[in-house]
Amino acid sequence: MYYLFEHDGVICTRADLIEYLWDNRLYSDTSYHNEELKSLTRYRFDKVKERAKLKSSVSRLVCILFPELERLVPTLHMASVYALLCEFPSADAVANAHLTRLSNLLFDSSKGRYGKDTAVMFRDAARSSIGSHMPAKSLELKHTIKLIRELAIKIDEIEAAIKRIMDKEIQSPIFTIPGISYWMGAMIIAEIGDFSRFDSADKIFAYAGMSPSTYQSGQLDNCYSHMEKRGSRYLRYALYNATKYVCHWDKSFGAYLEKKRSEGKHYNVAISHAAKKLVRLIFAMEKSGKAYLPTA
């Protein structure tokens, strides 16, 4: 005996109804995880961009307060330099610092990499520095570094949440492609979402706004086409940057990029061609679920 049910105006059996509800539950779960991932990757993008601006401010302020410091370290944006500048945010402050205190601070913040010799080098440079004595700028420097540190904690939390979704819910083969970082790969997957929405890889490429636009006036076509820059700017950013690294780490993509460059194409145009090749690869991998196998 079969019991009939009505759902959305359609008469169906109990088995059909259960199957329908189950399929839609799975679809809802997938959509939910995709939306969560998209929110997180975009949030991370904005925070990383915000941190980059703050780092530029640090470089500008150091150029005013202690310009010689930048030539003494691999980069200003490292834990030991930030620790130094938080406590001694000017050349004057470093010049007048007690050597033992300066040495201990550098030793602890660099985990033993820097010590007394580095402290002496910094203090000597500070004593002959042309940096300005501006307490207001020193305070701004300290606060800017504090904001960078707070942002770093937030970004770590966001990245941990992204990793949980990617590892447990998404499990994409995209990370088997050499050169695709975890965060660029996650952003690509998040922005594309359900790959079944697209009939072909070219549709994804167009969705990213990376298809060339052509200007036509009368009988004249513009030979120097540029990207349309419509669609998802986040996907466009992720594909462009991921392609650069893939071309560096994968021989076949590197050779393809060089081929386009040898044809006289501008670097950005050549990268867009390589990005199209990458999109086709990702589309095929997501459809098949198979890992990337580099060509010999």
Side-chain angles (χ1 to χ4, degrees), residues 95-118:
N96 295 314
H98 193 283
L99 185 58
T100 302
R101 174 59 192 144
L102 194 58
S103 300
N104 290 339
L105 184 148
L106 290 171
F107 184 86
D108 293 340
S109 59
S110 68
K111 297 181 179 179
R113 183 178 179 184
Y114 300 129
K116 184 177 180 180
D117 292 342
T118 305

Side-chain angles (χ1 to χ4, degrees), residues 2-201:
Y2 292 95
Y3 291 93
L4 298 179
F5 298 86
E6 182 179 349
H7 182 75
D8 291 340
V10 177
I11 303 299
C12 57
T13 66
R14 181 173 181 273
D16 290 337
L17 180 61
I18 291 173
E19 183 178 0
Y20 174 83
L21 294 174
W22 177 256
D23 289 344
N24 278 271
R25 185 194 71 82
L26 292 176
Y27 173 78
S28 298
D29 284 350
T30 302
S31 298
Y32 171 77
H33 293 310
N34 280 338
E35 287 303 314
E36 280 287 288
L37 187 62
K38 184 186 291 187
S39 295
L40 287 167
T41 53
R42 289 185 175 188
Y43 186 40
R44 179 187 178 276
F45 175 88
D46 293 337
K47 290 302 173 186
V48 169
K49 191 174 181 179
E50 185 180 343
R51 183 174 61 180
K53 288 182 179 180
L54 290 172
K55 286 183 176 182
S56 294
S57 294
V58 168
S59 299
R60 173 181 57 83
L61 291 166
V62 170
C63 188
I64 295 170
L65 298 166
F66 190 2
E68 295 80 7
L69 179 62
E70 192 167 10
R71 296 195 299 269
L72 302 177
V73 293
T75 174
L76 293 175
H77 309 292
M78 48 195 294
S80 54
V81 175
Y82 279 1
L84 171 74
L85 293 174
C86 273
E87 186 152 346
F88 306 106
S90 69
D92 284 344
V94 175
N96 295 314
H98 193 283
L99 185 58
T100 302
R101 174 59 192 144
L102 194 58
S103 300
N104 290 339
L105 184 148
L106 290 171
F107 184 86
D108 293 340
S109 59
S110 68
K111 297 181 179 179
R113 183 178 179 184
Y114 300 129
K116 184 177 180 180
D117 292 342
T118 305
V120 170
M121 179 178 65
F122 285 174
R123 195 173 66 170
D124 289 347
R127 286 176 174 175
S128 59
S129 175
I130 60 170
S132 302
H133 177 69
M134 301 176 68
K137 294 295 183 186
S138 295
L139 183 62
E140 183 183 348
L141 178 59
K142 290 174 65 175
H143 287 181
T144 303
I145 292 173
K146 182 180 179 181
L147 289 174
I148 291 173
R149 287 172 165 173
E150 290 173 354
L151 271 176
I153 294 171
K154 291 178 181 179
I155 291 170
D156 286 345
E157 291 177 356
I158 298 167
E159 289 179 347
I162 290 172
K163 195 172 189 307
R164 279 195 298 270
I165 294 177
M166 290 300 297
D167 291 347
K168 295 181 180 179
E169 309 297 341
I170 306 297
Q171 298 177 347
S172 171
I174 192 173
F175 301 115
T176 61
I177 303 173
I180 291 193
S181 70
Y182 209 92
W183 316 120
M184 287 300 102
M187 181 173 280
I188 291 169
I189 295 299
E191 292 300 321
I192 295 174
D194 185 1
F195 278 77
S196 65
R197 294 187 302 137
F198 301 94
D199 297 332
S200 66

Side-chain angles (χ1 to χ4, degrees), residues 141-293:
L141 178 59
K142 290 174 65 175
H143 287 181
T144 303
I145 292 173
K146 182 180 179 181
L147 289 174
I148 291 173
R149 287 172 165 173
E150 290 173 354
L151 271 176
I153 294 171
K154 291 178 181 179
I155 291 170
D156 286 345
E157 291 177 356
I158 298 167
E159 289 179 347
I162 290 172
K163 195 172 189 307
R164 279 195 298 270
I165 294 177
M166 290 300 297
D167 291 347
K168 295 181 180 179
E169 309 297 341
I170 306 297
Q171 298 177 347
S172 171
I174 192 173
F175 301 115
T176 61
I177 303 173
I180 291 193
S181 70
Y182 209 92
W183 316 120
M184 287 300 102
M187 181 173 280
I188 291 169
I189 295 299
E191 292 300 321
I192 295 174
D194 185 1
F195 278 77
S196 65
R197 294 187 302 137
F198 301 94
D199 297 332
S200 66
D202 290 345
K203 295 287 181 68
I204 296 176
F205 199 69
Y207 173 66
M210 297 183 77
S211 297
S213 60
T214 303
Y215 169 76
Q216 185 175 19
S217 177
Q219 299 299 316
L220 178 64
D221 288 335
N222 181 14
C223 298
Y224 300 97
S225 57
H226 56 276
M227 288 186 214
E228 290 181 343
K229 292 190 177 179
R230 291 181 290 186
S232 171
R233 69 185 179 96
Y234 297 98
L235 179 57
R236 186 165 58 250
Y237 166 85
L239 284 174
Y240 182 82
N241 284 279
T243 300
K244 289 193 295 183
Y245 285 101
V246 171
C247 287
H248 177 75
W249 290 105
D250 183 82
K251 289 182 179 179
S252 64
F253 273 89
Y256 184 77
L257 179 65
E258 287 304 314
K259 177 178 177 292
K260 293 300 177 183
R261 293 285 285 138
S262 67
E263 293 172 0
K265 290 180 170 57
H266 186 276
Y267 176 77
N268 287 340
V269 176
I271 283 289
S272 70
H273 281 280
K276 193 168 187 177
K277 178 180 170 73
L278 179 61
V279 169
R280 287 173 177 166
L281 172 63
I282 293 171
F283 184 76
M285 289 172 60
E286 288 294 329
K287 289 289 186 179
S288 67
K290 294 180 180 179
Y292 176 63
L293 294 175

